[in-house]
Amino acid sequence: MGRKPPAGTPALLTLQRAGVAFEVHEFDADPTERHYGLAAAEAIGADAARVFKTLIAMVDGRAHCAIVPVDRQLALKALAVAVGGKRAEMGEPANAERMTGYVVGGISPFGQKKLLPTVIDSSIAGFATIYVSGGRRGLDIELEPTVLVELLAAIVAPIGTA
């Protein structure tokens, strides 16, 4: 890890400015694919449990960023509990794109237009490194889970479900 990637997405620029170690994995992304995360895991040869998707959900009407493994679903009630809320629902894709500045399938937790309150599934604790989107389809970032938690000031909680 630590290879300097070419300048690019806001996510990559955010990580470069933070001076943290990360590795970039680029791959050909099928624009018709609906399961972006699972396709990414296969393309980079990583266990799907180590590849995390970034989702935007609304908790009591307020936007939150939820990060869960691509082979799991977001447990909305668990997300609401993790942030002290009552009700959570998935955000509309168009709103997620507008809030983050990224397209669905390429939403990165880093470099979003506005840093949203973030909750990461507690399964990250079991890995030395994990993968998240680098800000576009076909671009993933590998980094230590602690970097993700610290840079995003995230809550870690069991929010993923099979």
Side-chain angles (χ1 to χ4, degrees):
M1 285 199 332
R3 176 176 71 100
K4 290 288 184 193
T9 68
L12 296 179
L13 297 173
T14 297
L15 292 171
Q16 288 171 338
R17 280 192 293 266
V20 298
F22 66 98
E23 191 169 325
V24 174
H25 298 269
E26 292 187 89
F27 55 93
D28 290 328
D30 179 352
T32 64
E33 177 63 58
R34 295 197 59 227
H35 301 285
Y36 306 110
L38 291 173
E42 184 177 334
I44 60 178
D47 180 354
R50 287 182 58 208
V51 180
F52 285 69
K53 57 188 170 185
T54 305
L55 304 170
I56 305 302
M58 305 302 288
V59 179
D60 299 335
R62 187 168 172 227
H64 286 73
C65 181
I67 302 171
V68 297
V70 299
D71 63 349
R72 304 185 110 206
Q73 298 297 314
L74 173 61
L76 291 167
K77 182 67 176 167
L79 173 64
V81 168
V83 298
K86 293 186 188 317
R87 184 173 185 277
E89 61 187 345
M90 289 302 301
E92 292 294 324
N95 289 340
E97 290 179 345
R98 191 178 67 252
M99 283 188 268
T100 64
Y102 294 117
V103 298
V104 170
I107 295 177
S108 178
F110 301 109
Q112 295 179 4
K113 286 182 176 181
K114 178 183 176 191
L115 182 61
L116 299 173
T118 302
V119 182
I120 305 169
D121 185 65
S122 56
S123 66
I124 63 165
F127 303 108
T129 62
I130 60 165
Y131 301 84
V132 295
S133 175
R136 67 172 165 79
R137 296 175 189 156
L139 179 68
D140 269 23
I141 301 165
E142 181 180 4
L143 43 66
E144 293 179 7
T146 54
V147 170
L148 188 67
V149 174
E150 290 170 9
L151 287 181
L152 299 173
I155 296 169
V156 177
I159 60 167
T161 184

